[in-house]
Amino acid sequence: LPPPRGILFFGPPGTGKTWIATCLAKECGMLMFKLSGKIFHWYYGATERFVEEVITLIEEASPCILFIDEADALFSARGTLQEHETTRRVKNMFLEYLGSEERNATVILATNRPLDLDPAFLNRYSRIGNIIPILYPDFKARLEVLKVQTCVVKKAVSYTHLRAHETSLQLVCRL
């Protein structure tokens, strides 16, 4: 099964989008590069040079994962009043890279605001093929997460003692 060319994770803050991308890279045994949406430099041409170097590095390390957090800051809709010339050039560089047939890296974007993204990133399947909502877990899921995250305690405390405090975990999950 070939890896997807692009994935968009969207959902409220704190739902684990970055964590899921990190786990995905580890499970696939792939190197992951993290890039924030805040890559712009003050000096003319420095941002474009940085993006070119990042793309070159990613292609040399391929197959790998490029994780772009806060994608809405980097790939907001074009044509707004706040858009700067550098921002337009960087968007075009990434659009060109994401649409390239030679691209061997999987790109994962994470955002809290998917409606703010430039439609050009989402309209072509070759760029971002999978759009996955990451939502807050329900009560049962939160309880399971707490059980997994507190399993280290079981080694120090007996299971019956932990079982007695399960109601405490359930109370925490309701918060």
Side-chain angles (χ1 to χ4, degrees), residues 31-52:
L31 186 62
M32 183 168 104
F33 294 92
K34 291 183 182 180
L35 188 65
S36 174
K38 302 169 185 164
I39 62 168
F40 297 98
H41 297 279
W42 285 94
Y43 300 109
Y44 185 79
T47 303
E48 294 90 335
R49 195 167 31 258
F50 174 74
V51 171
E52 286 175 1

Side-chain angles (χ1 to χ4, degrees), residues 134-151:
I134 309 293
L135 306 174
Y136 287 121
D138 61 358
F139 172 76
K140 288 181 181 179
R142 287 192 304 259
L143 183 61
E144 288 302 314
V145 167
L146 277 173
K147 284 180 181 178
V148 168
Q149 294 299 320
T150 58
C151 71

Side-chain angles (χ1 to χ4, degrees), residues 61-81:
S62 289
C64 64
I65 293 176
L66 170 61
F67 178 69
I68 302 175
D69 201 6
E70 300 176 18
D72 50 290
L74 187 59
F75 305 127
S76 59
R78 290 180 282 184
T80 61
L81 295 175

Side-chain angles (χ1 to χ4, degrees), residues 59-137:
E59 283 306 310
E60 288 174 0
S62 289
C64 64
I65 293 176
L66 170 61
F67 178 69
I68 302 175
D69 201 6
E70 300 176 18
D72 50 290
L74 187 59
F75 305 127
S76 59
R78 290 180 282 184
T80 61
L81 295 175
Q82 295 90 357
E83 187 176 44
H84 189 268
E85 178 184 340
T86 303
T87 309
R88 271 195 311 274
R89 285 195 304 264
V90 168
K91 285 179 194 176
N92 287 335
M93 289 172 73
F94 271 112
L95 277 171
E96 189 177 310
Y97 172 68
L98 292 174
S100 171
E101 291 296 324
E102 291 85 38
R103 176 169 59 100
N104 293 318
T106 298
V107 178
I108 301 176
L109 303 175
T111 183
N112 300 333
R113 302 179 310 185
L115 298 177
D116 290 349
L117 292 173
D118 189 343
F121 284 96
L122 305 176
N123 290 344
R124 284 179 133 180
Y125 185 78
S126 64
R127 291 185 180 133
I128 303 298
N130 301 297
I131 301 174
I132 302 171
I134 309 293
L135 306 174
Y136 287 121

